[in-house]
């Protein structure tokens, strides 16, 4: 058996760092750059390989990341909704988010997802 680590092995050994990058809503290119710099340039991974890793090993965190990023991109609309109504369920319903990212991928957004984002990331 080879002692050479696979890319998945190296990523797995950095899984807590990757979870933090996802929680802090770093973009995928920023995450890849951080991983590259953190290994003193000895390890790089393509975004395709990285996305496969996220789907295979951190699927729940990756889905949460995509949902939070979706809300973050729409923060100006959220701010308007917050001014108009104090109840998050009403805000979410009025915002009527379609959940599409990149025009093709549809996220299954719920009021719980919205509340999670609001508690963790929203400041007015």
């Amino acid at each position: 058996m080879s002692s050479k680590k696979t890319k998945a092995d190296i990523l797995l050994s950095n899984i807590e760092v990757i979870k933090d990058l996802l929680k802090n809503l770093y973009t995928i290119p920023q995450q890849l750059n951080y991983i590259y710099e953190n290994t003193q340039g000895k390890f790089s991974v393509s975004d395709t390989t990285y996305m496969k890793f996220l789907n295979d090993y951190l699927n729940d965190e990756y889905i949460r990341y995509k949902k939070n990023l979706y809300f973050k991109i729409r923060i100006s609309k959220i701010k308007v909704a917050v001014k108009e109504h104090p109840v998050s369920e009403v805000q979410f319903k009025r915002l009527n988010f379609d959940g599409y990212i990149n025009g093709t991928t549809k996220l299954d957004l719920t009021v719980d997802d919205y509340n999670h984002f609001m508690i963790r990331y929203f400041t007015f």
Side-chain angles (χ1 to χ4, degrees):
M1 186 163 154
S2 173
S3 63
K4 186 169 171 84
K5 286 185 168 185
T6 66
K7 290 189 181 218
D9 291 334
I10 294 169
L11 290 170
L12 279 169
S13 69
N14 289 290
I15 202 157
E16 291 306 317
V17 170
I18 294 169
K19 284 180 181 179
D20 284 343
L21 293 169
L22 292 170
K23 283 180 194 168
N24 289 299
L25 302 181
Y26 283 86
T27 65
I28 297 299
Q30 288 172 322
Q31 291 177 43
L32 292 172
N33 189 48
Y34 182 86
I35 291 166
Y36 179 76
E37 287 177 4
N38 204 36
T39 59
Q40 291 82 41
K42 295 178 183 165
F43 175 76
S44 66
V45 61
S46 69
D47 35 343
T48 306
T49 301
Y50 188 64
M51 305 295 258
K52 181 177 179 350
F53 171 82
L54 293 174
N55 281 314
D56 291 348
Y57 295 96
L58 292 170
N59 192 50
D60 292 344
E61 292 89 342
Y62 185 46
I63 290 170
R64 171 70 59 205
Y65 164 80
K66 290 190 287 189
K67 290 178 178 184
N68 287 332
L69 205 55
Y70 179 90
F71 293 129
K72 179 184 175 194
I73 290 168
R74 290 151 182 86
I75 199 72
S76 58
K77 289 181 182 180
I78 291 172
K79 285 182 179 181
V80 171
V82 168
K83 283 182 184 176
E84 291 175 356
H85 206 282
V87 178
S88 64
E89 289 80 5
V90 175
Q91 295 164 15
F92 183 75
K93 186 173 181 174
R94 286 185 180 175
L95 287 163
N96 195 27
F97 291 127
D98 65 9
Y100 280 99
I101 54 174
N102 302 331
T104 56
T105 304
K106 176 134 172 60
L107 298 172
D108 182 24
L109 299 172
T110 66
V111 72
D112 289 337
D113 296 326
Y114 179 72
N115 287 334
H116 177 272
F117 172 81
M118 294 300 283
I119 291 165
R120 176 127 170 94
Y121 300 102
F122 186 80
T123 55
F124 203 26

